[in-house]
Amino acid sequence: MNGNSGVDHDVCGMSVAIDVVGGKWKLHLMWVLGAGPQRFGEIRRLLRGVSEKVLAENLRQMEASGVVHREVFPEIPPRVEYSLTPLGEELAVALRPLEEWGDKHRVELLGNLASVG
């Protein structure tokens, strides 16, 4: 059992996937890195509102999950790039239908949320 969600990961593959991309920034990171390798500063510029600390933490977690690769180039000053691994690329493909569903129903969903709030 996962202490965070209380869901048995042997039973539900969805909970494993959500652990990898759950949270405020990880899906956004998947989108940014899906466009190709990016440097930390560029990612931060593209994801307005994320702090350096939170971005670094999310990238580390995604690297530990095996969906993000961190490459340090032996230059002075050192250059670091982040990219999706083959596992991350496969996850990005799996997430595309969710993005398409959100785009298709954006107006209706935002209207529903506005009427609740």
Side-chain angles (χ1 to χ4, degrees), residues 30-101:
M30 291 293 297
W31 176 76
V32 166
L33 295 176
Q38 302 284 344
R39 295 176 73 173
F40 187 89
E42 182 66 11
I43 297 169
R44 186 141 185 249
R45 188 183 69 74
L46 291 168
L47 298 180
R48 290 190 202 114
V50 67
S51 71
E52 254 184 64
K53 179 184 176 196
V54 168
L55 179 55
E57 186 177 291
N58 277 269
L59 286 166
R60 273 194 301 276
Q61 290 170 356
M62 293 174 77
E63 185 180 5
S65 295
V67 296
V68 167
H69 172 69
R70 179 179 184 266
E71 185 166 357
V72 180
F73 293 88
E75 301 172 358
I76 297 177
R79 178 170 52 105
V80 178
E81 284 187 351
Y82 296 89
S83 59
L84 293 179
T85 63
L87 187 62
E89 295 280 355
E90 187 178 342
L91 178 57
V93 168
L95 290 170
R96 274 193 200 101
L98 183 61
E99 179 184 11
E100 291 166 4
W101 181 87

Side-chain angles (χ1 to χ4, degrees), residues 5 9 12 19-22 26-28 34 36 39 41 50-51 56 73 85-86 94 99 112:
S5 64
H9 287 157
C12 182
D19 281 351
V20 173
V21 294
K26 290 179 182 171
L27 284 173
H28 296 289
R39 295 176 73 173
V50 67
S51 71
F73 293 88
T85 63
E99 179 184 11
N112 291 343

Side-chain angles (χ1 to χ4, degrees), residues 104-113:
K104 179 179 178 184
H105 299 287
R106 176 187 316 269
V107 172
E108 178 184 356
L109 292 168
L110 293 176
N112 291 343
L113 291 172

